[in-house]
Amino acid sequence: MCEPLAGPRVASSNLYGVPEPSPTSPKRRSRLLRAGAAVVVLCAVAGYLVVQYVTGGPGAPGCKVVSGRGDGATYQFTPEQAVNAATIAAVGTNRGLPERAVTIALATALQESGLRNIDHGDRDSLGLFQQRPSQGWGTERQVMDPTYAAGVFYQHLVKVPDYTELPLTVAAQRVQRSGYPEAYAKHEPDATLLAAALTGQSAATLTCDGRPGADAAAGPDAVRAALVRDFGRGAFEETGAEVGGRGRAAPSPSVSAGADGQTVTVPVPAGGGSRGVSERGWQLAHWAVANASALDIRRVTYAGREWTAGHTDSRWREGGSGTDSAVRIVTGP
């Protein structure tokens, strides 16, 4: 913590009560001023570095989620955080877990790692959830895999009796056994917004600038590989795949070429059991936007709404060719 330096020393008095100026007071004041300026600069640099770490660096493309309830609540985050959040949500819904489970998982990852897949932590803690290989969470390689890390978190969460009815911080703590059990609570509002969008409960509420990074993977194969990574291979296989309900096969995403790139069409299954068509569709659409920078996704359309990368306000707009039956993802060439 940066604290102000002490002020100049008060001059002493002689026997006659007349103040005696310190013989070095002008020089001392000068040194103190220089030292104070240096401290201010160091504090500013430290603050800048912290902000750059949190936001992903200068000029980093941003993402934003807004409340679907019209209460004005928002949360802004980076593309790296967006990819990890989308993975956590996809793993949870693919296990048939409720939105509350996803909210708990997202709040936990926000507290433990800032939704970043970090390769360091307290003792041997690693990854999104700061899981410790020495405590039986998996190997170092496993806990550094966001899909595995999310899955093993949910595996422990569902063993907590009545976890959906517990305060978020209590449910998270019973999984994590953290030294700071109350810390999860402050992330609940942001996690709630993210979960609503990334489980498809809120429509057209998540946007990103979508500017691809230098290491962005482009093309339909990269998109399909990422879909399988997050939702599971069974969700998009041609034979016997099930998405959103029992006994409903989901065909693989198809690819078509166009003037502005290649389009990956992801069918949204009819029906959907407890999760309706629009919920699954908006989950896939928001997933695509969250992965836009990482996969060089240029445009996403669903249910008559369209998101376009690089637009000044990155909003979902009315129009496009999107229908309720499929999410269309246009990738780079």
Side-chain angles (χ1 to χ4, degrees):
M1 178 178 179
C2 296
E3 299 180 353
L5 291 172
R9 186 174 59 190
V10 177
S12 60
S13 299
N14 59 20
L15 293 175
Y16 303 98
V18 179
E20 293 181 346
S22 171
T24 59
S25 58
K27 293 182 179 179
R28 180 178 175 81
R29 282 195 296 269
S30 177
R31 286 197 301 269
L32 286 171
L33 287 172
R34 288 197 299 269
V39 170
V40 170
V41 172
L42 288 173
C43 288
V45 171
Y48 173 81
L49 292 175
V50 169
V51 169
Q52 298 312 314
Y53 174 78
V54 171
T55 61
C63 297
K64 181 179 181 180
V65 62
V66 301
S67 173
R69 295 179 293 187
D71 56 11
T74 64
Y75 173 58
Q76 297 187 43
F77 50 110
T78 68
E80 177 188 1
Q81 293 172 305
V83 171
N84 291 327
T87 294
I88 291 170
V91 172
T93 57
N94 207 46
R95 288 170 173 249
L97 299 180
E99 181 184 356
R100 180 62 175 174
V102 176
T103 301
I104 295 168
L106 289 169
T108 302
L110 278 166
Q111 169 60 27
E112 298 290 355
S113 67
L115 269 175
R116 293 174 176 82
N117 195 30
I118 55 179
D119 60 359
H120 58 274
D122 179 46
R123 287 170 286 188
D124 60 334
S125 300
L126 297 169
L128 288 174
F129 296 90
Q130 288 291 277
Q131 293 156 339
R132 298 182 60 194
S134 66
Q135 300 301 306
W137 287 93
T139 66
E140 291 185 6
R141 182 174 181 179
Q142 285 175 322
V143 298
M144 284 296 294
D145 176 354
T147 303
Y148 172 89
V152 75
F153 176 86
Y154 289 124
Q155 180 182 325
H156 285 73
L157 178 64
V158 297
K159 294 178 182 178
V160 176
D162 301 319
Y163 73 89
T164 59
E165 306 301 322
L166 295 174
L168 183 146
T169 192
V170 174
Q173 172 63 5
R174 290 187 181 175
V175 176
Q176 296 293 106
R177 307 295 182 186
S178 169
Y180 304 94
E182 300 301 322
Y184 303 106
K186 65 178 177 287
H187 299 289
E188 184 168 2
D190 297 334
T192 299
L193 291 178
L194 280 173
L198 291 170
T199 62
Q201 298 292 327
S202 295
T205 54
L206 188 149
T207 59
C208 291
D209 290 346
R211 291 173 291 172
D215 57 349
D221 289 342
V223 171
R224 288 188 292 189
L227 283 166
V228 170
R229 174 199 70 202
D230 286 359
F231 291 93
R233 185 170 301 279
F236 298 103
E237 287 181 341
E238 292 181 349
T239 57
E242 293 185 6
V243 176
R246 295 180 179 177
R248 294 187 179 277
S252 294
S254 60
V255 179
S256 59
D260 56 350
Q262 300 187 74
T263 300
V264 179
T265 300
V266 186
V268 177
S274 61
R275 302 189 69 246
V277 177
S278 61
E279 290 176 14
R280 188 61 162 184
W282 278 113
Q283 179 178 20
L284 290 166
H286 285 151
W287 176 93
V289 172
N291 281 273
S293 293
L295 299 174
D296 193 15
I297 293 173
R298 311 289 179 82
R299 190 169 69 251
V300 180
T301 57
Y302 177 65
R305 306 290 286 275
E306 181 177 81
W307 167 89
T308 303
H311 200 278
T312 54
D313 58 11
S314 301
R315 290 191 298 113
W316 284 91
R317 299 176 178 277
E318 298 287 345
S321 58
T323 66
D324 287 340
S325 62
V327 175
R328 291 180 170 82
I329 305 169
V330 178
T331 74

